[in-house]
């Protein structure tokens, strides 16, 4: 079972392991050269990621359609009817229009709050091999993007800028396990800390127990000192479950994040903070139920029976 | 591997790394997906002698550490890949039942990927790198295992031929 040469491999093996431990030690001590190497790696990879994004976008859309087939059968039925009418017009513009819609909503959101934003396209989804939730966008320091800037999607917070390169930037998504953001509950103004859990469901820990959380409560970003990394008032998510364990020091809850992280095509990086706090102005409007028309028929009995 | 093989091997490693970062990472797979580069590195290691496997593991780990989407410390993947590649080479290359048939090869590669990812989480926790709650980590580990089980037999013939081409060996799986 043992291969010839295994014994002679011990010295090189030890040298390589010591080198790896040396690298870990340097990185733990925050030596800038290593982070520079990672930045150089992104600079090299960025053109390939852009090319890959352009070539693979139609394939990604195809698989996205296939995976959503079971979940939204009724929606597909409705869309199929619409699609028959619009197919010819939209064939060559489908991707562009989808991104335009996302962009418009993001700009509406940013405009309402008075944020100055830089828009960017997502050119790569991060690998899950390192259990991190990241994306790469096609704008970087040349567009004025810096580290620790907030990133918005059409629905609210998407993440925060983790690393910046000349023409691209790495975004740590709000679903990343290391992601933490201070939030306040719209209305009650309670504050707490939201933590990513690796999926669209995040966990919330309140600072105090003055009032009670309710399912459906909307959470907004609290904002940071000098608005970096987080600007105030951006929609984060809504509460889906409240943990009212007896004896708990502070209330905790499960939160559904507004942003659909599987469908991020266009995002906006907040490069300029608002003049004033937008308060609750960005709280998403609750969907209004469609009124069902009621028809009342009055029947007056005829004086003579009919045959 | 010093004169002719090393530049060829380095080019192949880099090409697969580019494919991983520019193509595979474009997709967000259910359950975590797979790492083509990790699969390639381990297949390469099983086919190589322990010394070359360790060197290949060092190259692969360093590239994985330099990936912008890598959350860990630089050196963490390097350390794990050196040990993993050396171990699979040591265990697999002399064992005909494992290394000479595709099923054994796939089994060894996939199980190693599972343990490499598991040790990445453990060492990450020791070094202060957040990996998410245990439920999500378990889902991702199982997802990566299943995806790797599916992908490994598909890419195995290509990667073994690349290895045979580099080292001028006749046999390829």
């Amino acid at each position: 079972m043992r291969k010839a040469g295994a014994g002679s491999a011990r010295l090189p093996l030890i040298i390589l392991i010591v080198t790896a431990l040396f690298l870990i030690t340097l990185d733990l001590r925050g030596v800038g050269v290593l982070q520079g190497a990672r930045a150089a790696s992104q600079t090299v990879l960025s053109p390939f990621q852009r090319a890959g994004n352009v070539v693979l976008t139609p394939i990604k859309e195809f698989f996205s359609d296939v995976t959503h087939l079971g979940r939204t059968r009724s929606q597909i039925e409705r869309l199929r009817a619409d699609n028959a009418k619009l197919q010819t017009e939209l064939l060559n513009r489908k991707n562009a229009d989808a991104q335009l819609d996302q962009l418009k909503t993001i700009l509406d959101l940013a405009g309402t709050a008075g944020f100055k934003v830089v828009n960017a396209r997502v050119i790569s989804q991060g690998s899950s091999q390192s259990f991190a939730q990241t994306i790469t966008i096609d704008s970087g320091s040349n567009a004025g993007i810096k580290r620790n800037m907030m990133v918005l999607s059409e629905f609210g917070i998407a993440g925060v800028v983790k690393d910046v390169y000349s023409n691209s930037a790495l975004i740590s998504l709000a679903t990343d396990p290391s992601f933490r953001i201070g939030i306040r509950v719209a209305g009650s103004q309670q504050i707490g800390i939201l933590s990513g859990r690796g999926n669209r469901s995040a966990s919330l820990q309140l600072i105090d127990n003055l009032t009670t959380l309710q399912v459906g409560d909307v959470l907004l970003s609290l904002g940071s000192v000098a608005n970096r990394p987080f600007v105030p008032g951006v929609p984060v998510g809504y509460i889906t479950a409240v943990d009212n364990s007896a004896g708990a020091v502070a209330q905790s809850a499960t939160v559904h994040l507004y942003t659909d992280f599987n469908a991020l095509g266009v995002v906006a990086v907040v490069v300029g903070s608002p003049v004033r706090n937008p308060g609750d102005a960005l709280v998403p409007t609750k969907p209004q139920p469609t009124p069902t028309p009621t028809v009342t028929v009055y029947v007056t009995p005829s004086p003579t029976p009919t045959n | 591997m010093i004169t002719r093989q090393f530049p060829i091997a380095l080019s192949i490693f880099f090409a697969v790394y580019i494919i991983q970062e520019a193509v595979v990472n474009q997709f967000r797979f259910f359950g975590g997906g797979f790492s083509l580069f990790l699969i390639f590195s381990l297949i390469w290691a099983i086919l190589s002698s322990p010394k070359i496997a360790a060197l290949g593991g060092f190259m692969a780990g360093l590239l994985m550490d330099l990936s912008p989407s890598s959350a860990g410390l630089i050196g963490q993947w390097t350390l794990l890949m050196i040990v993993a590649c050396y171990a699979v080479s040591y265990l697999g290359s002399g064992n005909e039942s494992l290394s000479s048939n595709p099923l054994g090869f796939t089994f060894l590669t996939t199980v190693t990927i599972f343990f490499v990812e598991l040790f990445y989480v453990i060492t990450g926790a020791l070094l202060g790198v957040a990996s998410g709650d245990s439920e999500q980590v378990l889902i991702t580990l199982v997802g990566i295992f299943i995806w790797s089980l599916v992908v490994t037999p598909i890419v195995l013939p290509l990667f073994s031929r690349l290895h045979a081409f580099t080292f001028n060996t006749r046999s390829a799986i």
Side-chain angles (χ1 to χ4, degrees):
Chain A
M1 185 158 159
R2 184 175 162 177
K3 188 165 188 169
S8 65
R10 285 200 188 113
L11 181 61
L13 179 70
I14 291 166
I15 292 169
L16 292 173
I17 288 174
V18 169
T19 309
L21 291 171
F22 181 64
L23 288 172
I24 292 173
T25 310
L26 286 180
D27 203 18
L28 276 173
R29 293 174 69 90
V31 175
V33 177
L34 296 180
Q35 291 307 320
R38 203 171 258 175
S41 166
Q42 174 58 29
T43 307
V44 172
L45 288 172
S46 183
F48 294 104
Q49 288 174 333
R50 282 168 207 268
N53 181 256
V54 170
V55 173
L56 295 171
T57 295
I59 301 169
K60 282 159 66 180
E61 284 180 355
F62 170 76
F63 280 111
S64 175
D65 291 345
V66 169
T67 52
H68 286 85
L69 197 65
R71 260 186 274 167
T72 55
R73 191 176 294 277
S74 60
Q75 193 181 8
I76 287 170
E77 291 298 326
R78 185 170 53 79
L79 288 172
R80 191 175 286 158
D82 293 343
N83 196 39
K85 289 185 281 182
L86 300 171
Q87 198 171 18
T88 311
E89 291 173 46
L90 293 181
L91 195 60
N92 297 321
R93 296 174 53 192
K94 187 180 172 188
N95 186 41
D97 282 358
Q99 293 192 342
L100 191 66
D101 283 346
Q102 283 189 343
L103 185 61
K104 184 176 178 300
T105 319
I106 292 171
L107 290 176
D108 283 348
L109 187 77
T112 308
F115 300 147
K116 186 182 174 191
V117 295
V118 168
N119 302 301
R121 285 196 313 134
V122 178
I123 58 171
S124 176
Q125 309 279 346
S127 170
S128 59
Q129 74 190 8
S130 300
F131 299 89
Q133 304 276 323
T134 57
I135 55 170
T136 307
I137 58 173
D138 67 348
S139 293
S141 56
N142 288 347
I145 294 173
K146 295 173 185 166
R147 282 191 69 177
N148 290 330
M149 283 180 165
M150 195 167 178
V151 182
L152 304 177
S153 73
E154 59 193 310
F155 304 109
I157 186 167
V160 69
V161 179
K162 188 179 177 188
D163 285 309
V164 182
Y165 315 101
S166 55
N167 289 309
S168 61
L170 186 73
I171 311 301
S172 178
L173 294 177
T175 52
D176 191 89
S178 64
F179 189 87
R180 302 282 183 277
I181 179 173
I183 58 90
R184 67 179 171 83
V185 182
S188 71
Q189 305 300 313
Q190 282 179 289
I191 59 174
I193 298 167
L194 187 96
S195 311
R197 294 204 309 199
N199 54 31
R200 204 172 167 184
S201 161
S203 59
L204 169 67
Q205 190 84 39
L206 282 188
I207 303 294
D208 57 48
N209 267 333
L210 293 179
T211 53
T212 309
L213 287 170
Q214 301 289 334
V215 171
D217 278 353
V218 174
L219 307 181
L220 303 168
S221 62
L222 185 62
S224 309
V225 177
N227 293 317
R228 289 273 293 276
F230 301 114
V231 289
V234 176
V236 175
Y238 61 90
I239 292 172
T240 54
V242 180
D243 180 15
N244 286 320
S245 310
V249 177
Q251 285 187 81
S252 58
T254 306
V255 175
H256 183 78
L257 299 170
Y258 280 125
T259 300
D260 181 2
F261 296 91
N262 289 323
L264 283 177
V266 177
V267 293
V269 183
V270 181
V271 295
S273 52
V275 178
R276 59 180 178 81
N277 190 327
D280 292 357
L282 301 181
V283 173
T285 52
K286 286 185 179 175
Q288 297 293 321
T290 312
T292 310
T294 309
V295 179
T296 311
V297 178
Y298 296 97
V299 179
T300 309
S302 58
T304 55
T306 53
N307 293 326
Chain B
M1 194 164 160
I2 300 300
T3 52
R4 191 187 81 86
Q5 285 100 335
F6 184 77
I8 297 173
L10 192 63
S11 306
I12 293 170
F13 268 77
F14 199 69
V16 179
Y17 178 69
I18 295 279
I19 292 169
Q20 169 70 38
E21 292 290 330
V23 178
V24 180
N25 283 359
Q26 294 288 334
F27 299 92
R28 196 170 283 276
F29 295 96
F30 175 76
F34 61 94
S35 170
L36 189 72
F37 189 63
L38 189 54
I39 293 170
F40 164 76
S41 306
L42 290 172
I43 289 174
W44 191 276
I46 296 171
L47 291 167
S48 305
S49 67
K51 191 194 290 186
I52 291 175
L55 191 59
F58 179 80
M59 281 197 301
L62 198 58
L63 285 170
M64 288 161 77
D65 277 326
L66 290 176
S67 169
S69 60
S70 177
L73 295 165
I74 290 179
Q76 191 183 351
W77 270 118
T78 310
L79 180 65
L80 286 173
M81 288 301 288
I82 292 167
V83 176
C85 289
Y86 182 85
V88 291
S89 173
Y90 191 80
L91 288 171
S93 57
N95 192 334
E96 292 297 315
S97 64
L98 277 177
S99 61
S100 62
N101 76 75
L103 281 178
F105 219 105
T106 303
F107 175 77
L108 183 60
T109 308
T110 312
V111 168
T112 309
I113 286 170
F114 179 83
F115 280 106
V116 168
E117 294 285 354
L118 182 64
F119 279 111
Y120 181 83
V121 175
I122 294 168
T123 52
L126 292 173
L127 293 167
V129 180
S131 300
D133 60 16
S134 52
E135 183 190 355
Q136 189 62 33
V137 167
L138 192 65
I139 290 170
T140 309
L141 281 174
V142 174
I144 290 173
F145 177 80
I146 293 170
W147 274 106
S148 302
L149 202 60
V150 173
V151 173
T152 303
I154 298 168
V155 296
L156 180 58
L158 174 66
F159 289 162
S160 71
R161 276 176 178 77
L162 283 172
H163 185 274
F165 166 75
T166 307
F167 292 96
N168 285 327
T169 49
R170 283 186 191 169
S171 61
I173 294 174

